[in-house]
Amino acid sequence: MILTVLIFCLVLGSVVGFLAGLLGIGGGLIIVPALVYLLPLVGVSSDIVMPVALGTSLGAIVITSASAAFAHHRKNNIPWSLARPLMILIAIGALLGAFIADSLSSEVLARFFSVVVVLLAVYMLLSINASKERSLPATYVLPSLSFFTGVIASLMGIAGGAILVPMLSFFGVSVRHSIGIATACGVMVALFGSIGYIITGFHLTNLPEWSFGYIYLPALLGIVMSSIIFAPIGVKYASQLPVKTLKKIFAVFLILVAIKMMFS
């Protein structure tokens, strides 16, 4: 059964990697729902399936986000003077989010995930053609928002780019820099969120074999191996396909997935 999970996650990772490269989004928004349906095959009980899915998703995102952040740094897409303070607070928020998730039931986490995904997808649909010029807010606003983004992203098992990119763009940061900052912050969300999920799940005895806290290693390995290969392919096709149309389709897909999770 572990081999089945590994093979499935190789396929999952290829889809995640391709969409991440193509659209700049994806990751945990796809990994988490897929793992929620996959993990029971290896004996993960319904009581802990959601935190295991969230922890495993963040573990996979550590590798993919670090690779993407390095690429953005080489292209000077990350204004570090703005990114550094956001990274610190988003890391603290992500660690806190993991401990909050440990205190919530899988049902509550699934409903929270579903509601936020629907909101993000709707915003994605409405903002595709939006272009507004604004200046950066007061000094404390962005750090405060980044802290809460870290909490929410950790509770959802995502890197936070789907929240940070529109937020930074809203405040007048260029799209290129918004994506670069979000990628760097995503490394911190995934790293500190993963640490939190390892700590909170380490004492449990009802986890499947080959688990490290709430992180299920065979799934992590499969996702990482293939996503690293397919992400550059997605980047290649990003300039050749109608990305706005694809984003609309992807947003609708997210809404359908969220609704199914909400009522299942």
Side-chain angles (χ1 to χ4, degrees):
M1 197 60 72
I2 290 180
L3 182 60
T4 301
V5 171
L6 181 61
I7 293 173
F8 184 92
C9 286
L10 284 168
V11 176
L12 174 62
S14 65
V15 174
V16 167
F18 181 77
L19 287 177
L22 183 69
L23 304 175
I25 54 177
L29 294 176
I30 300 173
I31 295 172
V32 173
L35 289 182
V36 166
Y37 290 103
L38 177 67
L39 290 171
L41 296 178
V42 291
V44 178
S45 69
S46 59
D47 294 338
I48 59 170
V49 67
M50 199 62 190
V52 173
L54 296 172
T56 304
S57 174
L58 288 174
I61 292 170
V62 171
I63 308 299
T64 54
S65 290
S67 175
F70 181 70
H72 279 295
H73 172 68
R74 292 183 63 184
K75 293 182 179 181
N76 296 315
N77 288 344
I78 305 176
W80 289 106
S81 60
L82 179 57
R84 285 191 187 95
L86 302 186
M87 290 171 68
I88 295 171
L89 284 168
I90 206 168
I92 297 171
L95 188 61
L96 176 61
F99 282 89
I100 294 174
D102 186 53
S103 67
L104 300 175
S105 68
S106 283
E107 181 181 355
V108 171
L109 287 170
R111 292 192 182 279
F112 176 82
F113 180 91
S114 300
V115 170
V116 177
V117 167
V118 169
L119 293 175
L120 289 174
V122 170
Y123 181 83
M124 191 188 306
L125 287 171
L126 296 176
S127 65
I128 285 175
N129 295 312
S131 58
K132 298 179 180 179
E133 293 294 331
R134 294 181 178 85
S135 57
L136 288 175
T139 307
Y140 65 88
V141 174
L142 278 181
S144 299
L145 290 174
S146 68
F147 170 78
F148 288 109
T149 297
V151 175
I152 294 170
S154 185
L155 283 169
M156 295 182 65
I158 65 176
I163 302 172
L164 277 177
V165 172
M167 180 184 80
L168 291 169
S169 299
F170 178 85
F171 287 120
V173 180
S174 71
V175 174
R176 180 168 59 91
H177 285 169
S178 294
I179 293 173
I181 293 170
T183 305
C185 288
V187 178
M188 305 304 286
V189 169
L191 178 60
F192 282 84
S194 297
I195 292 172
Y197 279 100
I198 290 170
I199 294 171
T200 55
F202 203 76
H203 65 284
L204 296 181
T205 57
N206 58 338
L207 289 167
E209 194 176 2
W210 300 106
S211 293
F212 188 44
Y214 278 124
I215 297 178
Y216 185 56
L217 296 177
L220 172 70
L221 179 63
I223 293 168
V224 168
M225 286 174 61
S226 55
S227 63
I228 289 176
I229 296 172
F230 279 86
I233 299 175
V235 173
K236 177 182 177 181
Y237 280 96
S239 60
Q240 303 175 21
L241 296 174
V243 176
K244 287 185 178 180
T245 300
L246 287 170
K247 284 187 175 181
K248 291 178 183 178
I249 295 171
F250 187 70
V252 172
F253 165 76
L254 287 180
I255 292 173
L256 294 175
V257 168
I259 291 172
K260 182 172 178 58
M261 283 189 68
M262 196 178 299
F263 293 102
S264 63

